Structure formats: structure tokens, C-alpha cells
Amino acid sequence: MSMLVKACKVPFIHVGNQVVSELGPIVQFVKAKGHSLSDGLDEVQKAEMKAYMELVNNMLLTAELYLQWCDDVTVEEITHPRYGSPYPWPLNRILSYQKQWEIRRKMKAIGWAGKSLEQVLEDVDQCCQALSQRLGTQPYFFNKHPTELDALVFGHLFTILTTQLTSDELCEKVKNYSNLIAFCRRIEQQYFEGRLTLARP
Amino acid sequence: MAAPMELFCWAGGWGLPSVDPDCLAVLTYARFTGAPLKVHRLANPWRSPSGKDLRPGSVPDRAPVPFAPQKYNADYDLSAQQGADTLAFVSLLEEKLLPVLIHTFWVDAKNYVEHTRKWYAETIPFPLNFFLPNCMHKRHLERLQLRRAGDGAVAPWQLYRDARECLTLLSQRLGSQKFFFGDSPASLDALVFSRLAPLLKAKLPNGKLQQHLKSLQNLCNHCAAILSLYFPWDGGDALHGDGDTDGSPRATRGCPVPSVGMGTRMGPPVPPVAAQCPPWGWGCGWDPPAPPAATPLPGGARRLRSASPELPVPARLAVPLAWPSSPGAPGRSGPHRG
């Protein structure tokens, strides 16, 4: 097993002697096995779906990383204790700082290092607005049937909505968009049978 | 009367108005909107008013910034959903295509040595040309590695696979339309053009991605249409022309990242150009010829007569884009100085 798992990130699936990790490759792999959610889309829709997935990766994911590793209050109170929790002292401190350094360098490379928290939240808002506008009144992003985009958006938004942070600014940004909230609730009810808990207003 | 907007950007070459994708994006966007810009094309990145040096990506350039959103906004006609689509495709470009562009131009050894470094070394004035290209190379390399930090090692072939997919998706999205959102160009068109045109125009010794792009006919046509419609006269190198310089304030420090500054904020008073330019010719930048008086056609729409008459210019453009395609436009002979 250890030979198979090289540089593996969660989530990964293990089939026979193959290990496939992360959303994109897993979707590809499952598609090769004959299961695809986006087969019903035409070419333009497929292109749009991929573009919106990159929007989530580019803005929402980066904003989450920023909040997690570059906002000093969150870093002190949440990230370091949590990230270091599996390791004994002093490894917990060392690894946390190593990770923090790595992420901050990455932020610098993509031009986010100089951003303030307000600017990052503004970006989140812009991203949510785009998603909200794209979703409109449809049940899923491409009408009746869910696609991998819906899974990705649900994963991020649900996490944002249900995670307790030092302040609820991030959560509030998402809550401004009622159709996104309804979208998360719909997927939760339909596919997770209420085992997750999205607080109702 | 507002101070004129001035744009500082990298010099042109390879048949493009500017070789730097970020500069090209802003320049193109400005042309789309008809915003009156005074363009300074620099070959010496130490001379921009912002004082920002040539660090790539120091301006996180998600989409070309609307200069004055009410007046010069190429996205004014877009619906909310089209605005959202713009944001999504911008992300797609930045995530999938940009790393590969950096790799193609700055990291791929053959391309870098035989094409990119050659151009910059010939364009940047002595003595900076000896070390600036290498500095830029290092910064780009670092930028590329850091972008992927935390994702483990990503092999170049994976990057290229993603980029090919990205190009294919763009091509599918464009379909048979003239521009991404119908008949008039928007900010997304400017951004796509700025990313694809260098790839299309550069004569790269190692052109894997280039070949893929050339097989996507509609994207090539898109670039060609924008180039001929909006840059009819300065396709070539505008820098080393007949020494046509403007007496503009290129006072302080240089910057290849596009920086739009207002004339009033721009540093010390301007000494005469001759006094400022060192003998080896830092004469950098010249102004586009002033557009002729507007020639409105009946119905309010304006057509571009000089370039491709079959392509109408969108009616919302505030300034006519029909410059005379004068043969006397300076510096169109070739990209290199001797």
C-alpha cells in the first residue's frame, strides 16, 4: 500500500492497484469506468462548467487558504492548534510554521500576500455573486441534474457555512445569497438525508 | 478637465503592440472602450511612475480594470450572468493557461534562450540587457514553482495537458461567434487575446502548445480579428521606429506591469526628452497618432473602413477606432533593432 500511495492527497480512491486522488482525476477515472454526470451537457456547457470549477478553485479555495494561514487571529486560535494536533511537541509547532510559510509564499506568488482581509472577503463576495447569478432559480447549475460543479460548490459552501471560525464574516458573505443557501440545503437533504447539519435560520 | 490617463507598458514586438500579456490586456481593453490613453512603451523596466519593478504578477490582474466604469466599460452591455461567466473564464485562464505560458516563454530552455531572452536582450537598453533577462527568468521560474506550492510536484506534461484542454474549452465556448459575448468585444475578449496572441505570434523554436492553438481555427481568427480591427497600425515593433518620441513624463522608474496613472500625480516636472535620454537611446515610447475626427455613419454605428470592412465596430465605442493605416507608422519594419 505504501508503495501505491505516493504524494497522495485526500480524497483518494483505491481500486485494485490504482490510487487516484483529488476531484479532477477522480472524476476522470470514474468517467472512464462509465459513470459521468456531465455527459448530458453540450460542448459550451461543458466549457462553462470547467470554467466555473476553476472560479471556485481560484477564488474560493484561495480565500479559504488565506483565511486559514494568513489571518493572524485565525492562525493563532484555530489553524495552528488544529494542524499540529496529531503531532507531539515540538513537531506540532514546527510543522505548522512550515506549512504557514509555504502557503504564504504561494500567496505572494499569486499576488494575494498584499491583500487585506476585507479585500479577500470582497473577492469571496464577488465569487458568490457570480455563482448565485449563474445558478439563478435552477435547482442545479445546469438545470435538472447535478454535475461535478454542483459537488464542488456544495463542498466549499457547506464547509464555509458550517465551520465555526473566530468571526462569522466569511459565512455572512455566503448567507447574503439565498439561492446558494437553498442549493446547499437541497443537496444536503437529498443526498445526505439530514446526517449533516446545516443550521436553519 | 481630467488629467489624461497614461499607460506604461512593455514595448511591442513579434507583431504585437506589447509583448507582455498583462500590458497587452490593458492596452486591448482600452482600445475596446475607446478610453483616451497616452501610451508609453518602455523597454527599460526601471522607468515607471509606480516604481514597481519587473516582478511579474505584482499586479493581480484578474480582469482588465475598467478605467472609469461609467464612461469606458466594455462590459456595460453584458447581463449579470455574462458577467459571472467572464469571471469564471478569467479564472480558467489564470489557473490553467497562465502557468503554461510562463513555462513556454520563460522556462522551456530552447524557447527561453532562442526566443525570449534574445528579444529582451536586444530590446532592453545596455547595460541592463546583460542581467535583466536573467532576473526575469528567475522570477518567472520562482513564480511558477510557488503557484504550485503545496500541490506536490506537477510535471510539465500535466501542465501542458491542462493548457491544451483549456484552449479546447475556450474554442468550444467561442464557437462560431465573433466575440465571446456576441458581436461586441468585452473584457474577456481582451484577456483571451492578450494570452493567446503572444503564443500565436511568437516564433518559438519549441511550439507544442502553439501547434495546438493553431489547430483551433476560431481562436486564431478571434486573435487575428482583434489585431486587425483594433491595432491596425501598430502590429509591429513600435519601439525602435524613427525615433518618434513624445515629450511625456517618463520621469521616475520603470514598469512592465501596466500602470495607469493620472498625469497630475506623475512625479517631477518633465525635462525635455533630449536632456533625459542617455546617448545609447532610452528613447522609449511614442504616442499613437491622434485619431481623425469621428465619421459617424447613419444610424449611429461606426464602421472601421481601413481594416476589415466586414467587421463592424460596436456602436457603444465612445471613440472611433479608425486610424489611418498610414504607411508612415513608425517602426513597423521588424521586431529587432539591427
Side-chain angles (χ1 to χ4, degrees):
Chain A
M1 181 73 189
S2 63
M3 293 240 309
L4 299 174
V5 185
K6 63 168 194 199
C8 232
K9 296 179 77 171
V10 286
F12 64 85
I13 51 173
H14 181 203
V15 184
N17 59 357
Q18 274 182 300
V19 174
V20 187
S21 76
E22 294 192 76
L23 180 66
I26 289 179
V27 168
Q28 284 290 331
F29 179 79
V30 176
K31 189 177 177 185
K33 299 264 171 199
H35 306 276
S36 174
L37 291 174
S38 47
D39 275 349
L41 305 183
D42 62 34
E43 285 193 335
V44 174
Q45 285 176 322
K46 269 185 198 161
E48 284 170 353
M49 186 189 77
K50 289 272 168 58
Y52 275 91
M53 288 177 78
E54 287 311 320
L55 173 70
V56 173
N57 286 336
N58 189 7
M59 289 180 90
L60 221 46
L61 183 68
T62 316
E64 287 162 10
L65 279 178
Y66 179 95
L67 202 70
Q68 220 178 338
W69 293 103
C70 301
D71 176 51
D72 290 330
V73 184
T74 314
V75 168
E76 271 313 303
E77 292 187 17
I78 297 175
T79 313
H80 275 191
R82 235 174 98 174
Y83 189 80
S85 63
Y87 312 105
W89 190 89
L91 205 54
N92 56 356
R93 304 299 287 175
I94 296 170
L95 290 177
S96 296
Y97 277 108
Q98 198 183 21
K99 183 80 178 173
Q100 182 177 350
W101 188 73
E102 192 183 296
I103 299 283
R104 288 193 180 189
R105 272 171 60 95
K106 180 179 173 145
M107 290 292 163
K108 226 169 150 182
I110 56 174
W112 278 52
K115 285 193 180 184
S116 66
L117 183 60
E118 283 69 37
Q119 282 170 311
V120 170
L121 290 173
E122 196 54 46
D123 278 354
V124 171
D125 192 56
Q126 209 186 353
C127 177
C128 289
Q129 193 185 357
L131 290 173
S132 167
Q133 249 137 20
R134 177 74 217 194
L135 184 63
T137 55
Q138 306 171 102
Y140 298 106
F141 278 93
F142 292 95
N143 215 350
K144 297 256 166 50
H145 302 289
T147 59
E148 46 260 43
L149 173 64
D150 297 274
L152 182 67
V153 172
F154 174 75
H156 280 276
L157 292 188
F158 191 83
T159 310
I160 290 175
L161 288 169
T162 53
T163 305
Q164 185 84 47
L165 294 176
T166 50
S167 78
D168 52 3
E169 284 164 307
L170 185 64
C171 183
E172 290 301 319
K173 288 284 178 213
V174 180
K175 281 186 179 165
N176 288 337
Y177 299 95
S178 58
N179 61 346
L180 293 181
I181 301 284
F183 167 82
C184 288
R185 203 166 285 152
R186 191 177 316 122
I187 293 186
E188 187 203 351
Q189 282 168 354
Q190 200 159 343
Y191 295 95
F192 297 95
E193 300 162 322
R195 271 176 280 153
L196 311 174
T197 49
L198 187 55
R200 275 156 188 76
Chain B
M1 190 65 193
M5 288 189 279
E6 303 195 34
L7 179 71
F8 290 77
C9 61
W10 263 109
W14 317 337
L16 295 172
S18 173
V19 294
D20 182 79
D22 290 339
C23 301
L24 192 56
V26 176
L27 211 54
T28 314
Y29 185 82
R31 283 289 160 83
F32 286 173
T33 59
L37 272 190
K38 194 168 183 175
V39 180
H40 305 275
R41 283 155 222 248
L42 308 179
N44 179 350
W46 283 6
R47 337 176 97 216
S48 95
S50 70
K52 279 192 188 112
D53 64 350
L54 62 162
R55 195 168 306 241
S58 52
V59 175
D61 199 39
R62 290 201 174 286
V65 199
F67 301 103
Q70 290 79 32
K71 210 168 166 190
Y72 305 111
N73 188 349
D75 293 347
Y76 191 75
D77 291 345
L78 298 189
S79 69
Q81 193 185 326
Q82 286 173 329
D85 286 358
T86 300
L87 205 61
F89 277 95
V90 169
S91 302
L92 180 71
L93 280 170
E94 299 300 292
E95 287 279 312
K96 297 290 185 204
L97 195 60
L98 194 62
V100 174
L101 285 184
I102 295 174
H103 189 275
T104 301
F105 281 92
W106 291 97
V107 181
D108 183 278
K110 211 166 153 68
N111 285 349
Y112 170 64
V113 171
E114 291 178 24
H115 181 266
T116 314
R117 191 175 67 184
K118 185 163 171 277
W119 187 85
Y120 280 94
E122 284 172 1
T123 309
I124 296 173
F126 174 87
L128 298 177
N129 57 354
F130 284 107
F131 62 93
L132 273 187
N134 276 331
C135 293
M136 295 167 79
H137 168 69
K138 276 189 197 132
R139 284 199 182 120
H140 279 291
L141 195 61
E142 196 183 56
R143 185 184 175 197
L144 193 62
Q145 284 163 348
L146 287 177
R147 277 186 84 87
R148 295 278 157 175
D151 297 358
V154 178
W157 68 265
Q158 285 169 311
L159 289 181
Y160 277 90
R161 185 198 57 197
D162 285 354
R164 276 199 304 275
E165 192 196 356
C166 172
L167 290 177
T168 310
L169 291 173
L170 282 176
S171 165
Q172 286 168 354
R173 173 64 183 76
L174 183 63
S176 57
Q177 298 175 99
K178 194 181 296 166
F179 297 108
F180 277 93
F181 299 109
D183 284 338
S184 355
S187 65
L188 180 61
D189 294 283
L191 200 75
V192 171
F193 170 74
S194 72
R195 299 295 185 248
L196 298 190
L199 192 61
L200 205 57
K201 288 283 179 181
K203 292 184 175 59
L204 298 170
N206 184 1
K208 274 182 291 182
L209 195 62
Q210 205 170 25
Q211 276 160 14
H212 184 73
L213 176 57
K214 280 179 180 161
S215 72
L216 301 167
Q217 202 53 47
N218 58 349
L219 285 182
C220 297
N221 292 345
H222 178 256
C223 285
I226 290 179
L227 205 56
S228 66
L229 267 175
Y230 294 97
F231 300 98
W233 46 267
D234 57 356
D237 183 350
L239 181 70
H240 308 301
D242 46 14
D244 181 9
T245 55
D246 51 354
S248 54
R250 57 180 88 84
T252 41
R253 317 234 351 244
C255 164
V257 288
S259 56
V260 179
M262 308 305 282
T264 46
R265 291 199 272 111
M266 297 254 305
V270 199
V273 180
Q276 222 191 347
C277 283
W280 56 83
W282 278 1
C284 28
W286 58 285
D287 259 359
T295 50
L297 295 179
R302 292 180 181 127
R303 281 179 169 274
L304 193 67
R305 283 172 175 168
S306 58
S308 320
E310 74 275 11
L311 291 173
V313 173
R316 65 165 176 261
L317 287 169
V319 173
L321 287 154
W323 285 285
S325 56
S326 74
R332 303 184 63 189
S333 49
H336 303 310
R337 181 205 336 233

